[in-house]
Amino acid sequence: MLLIFSLMLLLMLAGCAAGKKWKYLPASKAEERSVYVVTHGWHTGIVLSKGDLGPELGFVQDFLIPGQYYEFGWGEAEFYQADKVTAPIFLKAVLWRNPSVMHVVSLPAPPATFYSGKGVIELNLSQEGLQHLKDRLRASFEFDQQNHPYPLKGRPTGDNRFFKGEDYYLITNTCNRWTAKMLESGGVPIDTVFTLRAASVVRQVNEAKKEYLRLRRSGGVTGAALHKKSPPAITGRG
């Protein structure tokens, strides 16, 4: 039993996308849309360009200074918004089922420039994949009956703002699992059950990017052949 528990724990800490495949691949290179995964140590987020926000996410511009790109993150309400994380705040986030918030940051430059290239991974999605991703991102916000979000901490004209989020934060439902679920909705092959750490997100995203580039080189991404065959599964170790 101890061995089984240890193996399950290792899986939870690692996260593995073995057997998963890319979905919604673009029919041509011209259809590719860039999204970015950023890591801030323990936390990960997703960045979209201003032009890709669309009507689904364009509302965030009403609460922030104008930006070229916008970073989206999800997390435990009190822990994520805390100016200083105390032991009680940390233990509450780890041990209990807690409300969540969405965090949006306005970036004046591309993420690789803004973050000096550190912890930024660019992925290519199709228009269809991007649409699914945006729909899932929007569903992470809580809205009132008039379809207005609930703005929380942050200056009305600042570069970042918190909003009430949907779903609850648990030790088994972390910000990094949220990132994985958002990416999976866009067609990225990534585990959404055991991906709890930022390192697991980064490893799987890098593997997915390598597989995408391999498919592009082999002609599996673009052209009519895309719709006639399924791309091979990623064989990452997780």
Side-chain angles (χ1 to χ4, degrees), residues 21-78:
K21 302 176 182 180
W22 271 96
K23 294 191 290 186
Y24 318 124
L25 287 168
S28 68
K29 194 172 185 302
E31 193 199 352
E32 290 180 336
R33 306 303 301 174
S34 292
V35 302
Y36 304 85
V37 179
V38 296
T39 177
H40 306 285
W42 57 270
H43 174 81
T44 54
I46 295 172
V47 178
L48 301 181
S49 70
K50 176 183 177 180
D52 283 333
L53 293 179
E56 300 82 9
L57 300 168
F59 68 88
V60 301
Q61 298 174 93
D62 297 333
F63 300 91
L64 297 160
I65 59 174
Q68 292 186 33
Y69 293 81
Y70 291 84
E71 179 184 345
F72 297 84
W74 179 91
E76 198 274 338
E78 187 175 10

Side-chain angles (χ1 to χ4, degrees), residues 120-214:
V120 178
I121 308 169
E122 181 180 359
L123 289 174
N124 294 122
L125 304 184
S126 66
Q127 294 283 5
E128 182 182 2
L130 178 62
Q131 184 62 57
H132 287 300
L133 173 63
K134 290 194 295 183
D135 290 341
R136 195 70 184 270
L137 279 171
R138 181 181 174 85
S140 298
F141 290 83
E142 184 176 337
F143 295 91
D144 63 21
Q145 292 184 343
Q146 285 71 46
N147 237 11
H148 297 145
Y150 293 92
L152 301 171
K153 188 174 181 180
R155 300 192 310 276
T157 57
D159 61 357
N160 74 96
R161 195 74 185 263
F162 287 92
F163 301 83
K164 279 188 179 182
E166 289 286 357
D167 205 356
Y168 285 88
Y169 183 95
L170 290 163
I171 189 60
T172 55
N173 190 39
T174 67
C175 57
N176 299 307
R177 187 182 179 212
W178 174 87
T179 299
K181 289 189 290 186
M182 297 303 109
L183 293 174
E184 184 198 43
S185 71
V188 180
I190 187 169
D191 176 75
T192 59
V193 178
F194 299 121
T195 300
L196 306 180
R197 300 186 305 149
S200 297
V201 173
V202 171
R203 179 173 59 253
Q204 293 182 86
V205 169
N206 276 321
E207 288 296 322
K209 182 172 183 176
K210 289 178 183 177
E211 178 67 2
Y212 184 90
L213 293 175
R214 190 192 70 77

